[in-house]
Amino acid sequence: MTDKTLISARELSVHYPLSGSLFGPKPVVRAVEKVSVDIAKGSFFGLVGESGSGKTTFGRALLNAAPITNGNVIYSDDEVEYDLGNINSAELKDYRKRAQLIFQDPYAALSPRMTVRDIIAEPLQVMGLTKTREETDERVREIAAKCRLNLEHLRRFPHAFSGGQRQRISIARALVARPQFIVADESVAALDVSIQADVLNLLKSIQMDMGLTFLFISHDLSVVAHICDHVAVMYLGRLVETAPTRELFASPRHPYTKALMSAIPSLDPDDRGKAQRLEGEIPSPTNPPPGCKFQTRCPFAIEVCRNQEPKLEHTGNEHNVACHRWKELMAEQPVPA
Amino acid sequence: MNKLLDVENLTLQFDTDEGRITAVDNVSFDLEAGEVMGLVGESGSGKSVTAKSLMKLNARNAVYSDETGVKLHLESGEIEIMSLNTSAEMQVVRGGAISMIFQEPMASFAPAISIGDQMVEQLMIHTDMNKKQSKQLSIEMLERVGISDAATRFNQYAFELSGGMRQRAMIAMALSTKPKLLIADEPTTALDVTIQAQVIDLMKDLVEEFGMGIIFITHDLGVVAQTADKVAVMYLGRIVEQGTVRDVIRRPAHPYTKGLLAALPRLDDLDSPLVPIPGDIPSPLERPPGCVFSTRCGVAIEGRCTVDVPKFVELGDGHRVACHLPLAELTGS
């Protein structure tokens, strides 16, 4: 952890107990297992994975909204330092002002009975950040303008808005308490392509303007490639690869990352069927395979992969990968520049 | 190749409390056997409603215009779908000559009936097979779409299958009656990318094997580039551009198609900025007069695009675009 790190997860595990049989050990879902990540202050950190990879749970754990089973999460800005595993209620209250969440579905996240002004003002009132109504209004107007919502919009109810506009309202609500750290969980997944680009550009410009740190959770590699400066790839609760965006896309090392990239449908109609396809599906997290979690689908799995779980290894250029065979695979399949 | 489907001047309105809403406006296209057409558009563009019209599956408040013609050319003769009225007449088409795959397979399988029973039921209705033959064919089809241990899966329920498996079972069921036309409505949208790639590969194999025509509805231009032979781009109920997949994706002519491609994050070019299309899709209650895209178009001609509905301009090889801009501007980048 360097002094520039805003939030740092060390060997973080989140397990959920399942209601199992009366006798014998209770089964647990290992949603997140020993994940270590440092998110630098002012960075736009991407977290990629398919459904069931644990990316949402990890994001929630960083917000203290999922139970931390093992390991710890340290948040440290210029003013405070919190260990989220041991946080008292006063500290937690303060942490809520510093860390906020933007949801996926802009239709479900906004109360239909509140005006946009009240929706955006609610965090200020709940957290007691403003003393008078005038002060609240001023804060709301200021942040609304940043999210390109005008005064007329503030008087209306959410049903009058399109998906893209609603997502801008959600963003304004998350930002109004002036947080340092934002978790954006699939925040553009529900939007049409022409609108998605607009919201992505808005997030990026706000991040630069206000010096925020983002954890951007997404299943869409191409979106992450465009907006994030650092990317981590998760599979079945484990971190399999992490690197600066350029480095990752120029030379992916983990077979899963490579497969994810080649699974994205190419826009070139003559580039059909060349992609390397993955067989099978992601295993159930209640019954993960032994050894490397990806071995059931990996075309390169050998004996050691089936017995021993690979550790995250540093490979230079801030690039880390958890694969027994990454060196061999790099040599066998030179990645075109 | 043989002509399979002819859609002419399809216009469809819905009667609602707030008035008549135009959902599809004068849409024409055709399809040959063995051909895959991509129908692309964002939410509210009318792509699903257009596809459902081919089986008259829209809600009761749907009103088709008198000029609408949907002809299905079968070996047994020609069927004018708009003239079918009773459900007995429709049965030849629905699930028989035309099958449909939906986006969310969990919602399209009945939850309390096993996958197998549902497959057998439709085969008993649409073919003259008996129960034993139906079961055998169903299990064969499940195997064909890559479901392992098909005989066990046959007796399972939809909730026991994963998302990818469910979509495979849906495809097996849709194809078991050997339809001439398959309508796939966002069949891979709810799936993870690695599973989506598997399903796309499977569908490509099946087109070659069964030789049916496919209408592939999607919002994802990448999926279209990978699957379709030709494309129609829809916006607010109208086709704004259509042509072969290479023409439309490599040399887009309509400002909307160009805008869609510019807004798409591409992995092969991380430096290019994402350019959104300004504004939002207007509500169908407030359809703009003239060109439907004029409210968001950066190059709209005042007094022309906002007034006159543009006619199709032919650019060659079936590539057509509905835009008022001069030809040189449409074809230039």
Side-chain angles (χ1 to χ4, degrees):
Chain A
M1 197 165 130
T2 66
D3 35 292
K4 272 167 50 202
T5 305
L6 180 76
I7 192 158
S8 161
R10 280 283 147 267
E11 302 266 297
L12 172 66
S13 298
V14 179
H15 298 171
Y16 291 110
L18 284 178
S19 52
S21 58
L22 267 171
F23 308 102
K26 276 210 168 150
V28 290
V29 176
R30 295 167 190 271
V32 175
E33 183 77 356
K34 294 187 181 153
V35 171
S36 300
V37 162
D38 286 340
I39 300 178
K41 198 168 183 336
S43 69
F44 214 113
F45 196 96
L47 186 58
V48 189
E50 296 182 286
S51 32
S53 61
K55 56 190 191 304
T56 293
T57 307
F58 180 76
R60 300 264 156 123
L62 296 196
L63 293 174
N64 207 326
I68 296 171
T69 313
N70 274 310
N72 46 38
V73 179
I74 310 286
Y75 169 90
S76 136
D77 61 19
D78 298 338
E79 293 160 5
V80 295
E81 179 167 325
Y82 296 132
D83 175 356
L84 297 194
N86 299 293
I87 195 167
N88 65 40
S89 59
E91 288 174 338
L92 183 59
K93 218 170 160 184
D94 180 60
Y95 183 57
R96 294 271 180 255
K97 292 174 202 165
R98 295 169 193 272
Q100 286 282 333
L101 177 64
I102 303 171
F103 295 91
Q104 168 171 3
D105 184 353
Y107 290 85
L110 304 176
S111 164
R113 291 165 190 274
M114 289 164 80
T115 63
V116 171
R117 184 255 168 215
D118 290 346
I119 288 171
I120 301 177
E122 197 177 20
L124 294 176
Q125 287 153 353
V126 172
M127 295 172 184
L129 293 175
T130 49
K131 289 181 186 69
T132 61
R133 194 180 160 90
E134 285 70 39
E135 203 186 339
T136 310
D137 277 339
E138 201 187 308
R139 285 278 285 269
V140 170
R141 277 201 294 271
E142 180 196 355
I143 202 69
K146 276 209 170 77
C147 299
R148 288 190 281 107
L149 298 163
N150 61 34
L151 291 179
E152 171 60 32
H153 289 143
L154 293 178
R155 282 196 286 273
R156 294 196 218 154
F157 290 89
H159 72 85
F161 294 92
S162 67
Q165 288 170 321
R166 282 179 204 226
Q167 202 54 289
R168 294 211 297 269
I169 299 169
S170 299
I171 294 169
R173 176 176 60 182
L175 293 176
V176 74
R178 294 185 188 145
Q180 302 281 319
F181 176 55
I182 305 248
V183 175
D185 191 355
E186 296 278 13
S187 296
V188 296
L191 304 178
D192 279 316
V193 191
S194 69
I195 310 291
Q196 169 182 297
D198 181 49
V199 173
L200 286 174
N201 290 345
L202 176 70
L203 285 176
K204 191 78 186 174
S205 77
I206 284 173
Q207 184 244 354
M208 307 251 251
D209 259 24
M210 302 173 68
L212 298 175
T213 307
F214 265 83
L215 176 66
F216 186 84
I217 301 174
S218 178
H219 69 286
D220 190 333
L221 265 185
S222 25
V223 167
V224 165
H226 270 266
I227 189 170
C228 298
D229 36 47
H230 222 92
V231 184
V233 183
M234 281 184 81
Y235 186 80
L236 210 61
R238 271 71 170 181
L239 200 61
V240 298
E241 186 160 9
T242 155
T245 308
R246 302 261 152 183
E247 163 74 16
L248 185 79
F249 286 91
S251 61
R253 308 238 152 124
H254 200 284
Y256 177 63
T257 314
K258 289 181 196 166
L260 263 188
M261 286 183 193
S262 78
I264 297 173
S266 160
L267 261 182
D268 181 357
D270 290 318
D271 184 24
R272 291 187 182 179
K274 287 185 200 158
Q276 164 208 345
R277 296 294 189 228
L278 277 186
E279 303 269 313
E281 297 178 22
I282 191 167
S284 155
T286 50
N287 187 19
C292 173
K293 300 307 147 201
F294 186 56
Q295 50 116 332
T296 52
R297 298 173 78 192
C298 182
F300 309 107
I302 51 171
E303 195 57 31
V304 61
C305 307
R306 286 185 267 276
N307 300 324
Q308 221 181 82
E309 184 152 5
K311 287 206 165 49
L312 206 62
E313 253 181 88
H314 186 73
T315 70
N317 296 342
E318 295 179 69
H319 198 147
N320 298 290
V321 62
C323 175
H324 290 301
R325 301 189 67 195
W326 72 267
K327 262 186 198 149
E328 292 170 60
L329 296 177
M330 288 288 286
E332 277 169 34
Q333 298 181 310
V335 181
Chain B
M1 277 208 227
N2 302 323
K3 186 70 91 58
L4 177 66
L5 178 74
D6 252 321
V7 176
E8 264 167 51
N9 308 324
L10 172 64
T11 298
L12 166 60
Q13 295 179 309
F14 287 104
D15 266 331
T16 70
D17 295 342
E18 288 159 276
R20 264 197 182 182
I21 292 175
T22 304
V24 182
D25 187 5
N26 215 354
V27 160
S28 303
F29 59 87
D30 54 43
L31 189 73
E32 285 170 6
E35 200 174 34
V36 181
M37 184 176 97
L39 205 53
V40 190
E42 299 181 289
S43 26
S45 62
K47 53 193 193 301
S48 290
V49 178
T50 299
K52 282 183 185 166
S53 304
L54 308 182
M55 286 194 273
K56 280 184 119 180
L57 269 182
N58 286 307
R60 273 161 200 267
N61 60 347
V63 185
Y64 297 91
S65 77
D66 296 337
E67 287 80 44
T68 301
V70 179
K71 282 192 195 67
L72 191 64
H73 305 272
L74 300 175
E75 280 158 29
S76 51
E78 192 181 285
I79 301 178
E80 170 52 63
I81 296 194
M82 285 300 134
S83 67
L84 305 177
N85 284 315
T86 65
S87 56
E89 287 172 345
M90 287 304 309
Q91 221 175 69
V92 183
V93 176
R94 291 181 185 159
I98 307 180
S99 278
M100 189 153 178
I101 305 172
F102 299 91
Q103 173 173 356
E104 197 10 275
M106 192 64 210
S108 2
F109 277 114
I113 306 173
S114 71
I115 303 275
D117 283 350
Q118 294 181 55
M119 294 184 75
V120 167
E121 183 190 7
Q122 62 142 9
L123 283 171
M124 305 268 291
I125 293 172
H126 291 292
T127 66
D128 43 18
M129 276 185 252
N130 62 29
K131 207 164 182 179
K132 202 175 155 204
Q133 291 165 323
S134 303
K135 180 174 176 181
Q136 201 187 347
L137 176 69
S138 299
I139 293 178
E140 273 171 33
M141 284 305 300
L142 288 174
E143 275 167 1
R144 177 64 197 86
V145 297
I147 293 182
S148 57
D149 204 3
T152 315
R153 297 288 183 194
F154 181 84
N155 290 316
Q156 286 185 326
Y157 296 86
F159 72 88
E160 294 178 273
L161 275 61
S162 67
M165 282 295 158
R166 254 180 245 140
Q167 202 56 288
R168 283 168 193 268
M170 192 79 225
I171 293 171
M173 179 161 158
L175 294 187
S176 63
T177 55
K178 303 227 166 17
K180 299 288 173 240
L181 174 64
L182 178 69
I183 301 171
D185 189 355
E186 303 263 11
T188 61
T189 307
L191 305 176
D192 280 319
V193 272
T194 57
I195 308 296
Q196 164 173 290
Q198 294 171 1
V199 171
I200 287 177
D201 283 352
L202 172 67
M203 290 189 65
K204 280 194 253 184
D205 288 350
L206 294 172
V207 181
E208 272 182 35
E209 192 178 325
F210 290 76
M212 70 264 181
I214 297 191
I215 294 180
F216 201 110
I217 302 170
T218 179
H219 68 282
D220 189 331
L221 281 166
V223 170
V224 164
Q226 288 298 302
T227 52
D229 301 309
K230 57 184 191 182
V231 191
V233 181
M234 288 191 76
Y235 185 80
L236 221 59
R238 279 198 205 132
I239 292 181
V240 294
E241 180 164 6
Q242 61 193 126
T244 65
V245 70
R246 284 179 184 78
D247 279 345
V248 174
I249 286 183
R250 293 216 183 112
R251 287 185 292 279
H254 198 281
Y256 177 61
T257 319
K258 286 179 184 166
L260 268 187
L261 285 161
L264 209 61
R266 303 173 72 146
L267 268 189
D268 50 8
D269 185 4
L270 294 185
D271 290 317
S272 66
L274 302 179
V275 188
I277 300 176
D280 284 299
I281 302 175
S283 145
L285 281 168
E286 297 157 9
R287 275 172 72 84
C291 172
V292 279
F293 187 58
S294 60
T295 56
R296 298 173 75 194
C297 184
V299 288
I301 308 163
E302 197 56 43
R304 176 108 198 263
C305 298
T306 47
V307 181
D308 295 331
V309 177
K311 290 198 172 54
F312 274 108
V313 180
E314 300 284 343
L315 303 175
D317 197 19
H319 191 183
R320 313 198 295 158
V321 55
C323 184
H324 286 305
L325 289 179
L327 200 62
E329 222 165 299
L330 289 174
T331 48
S333 57

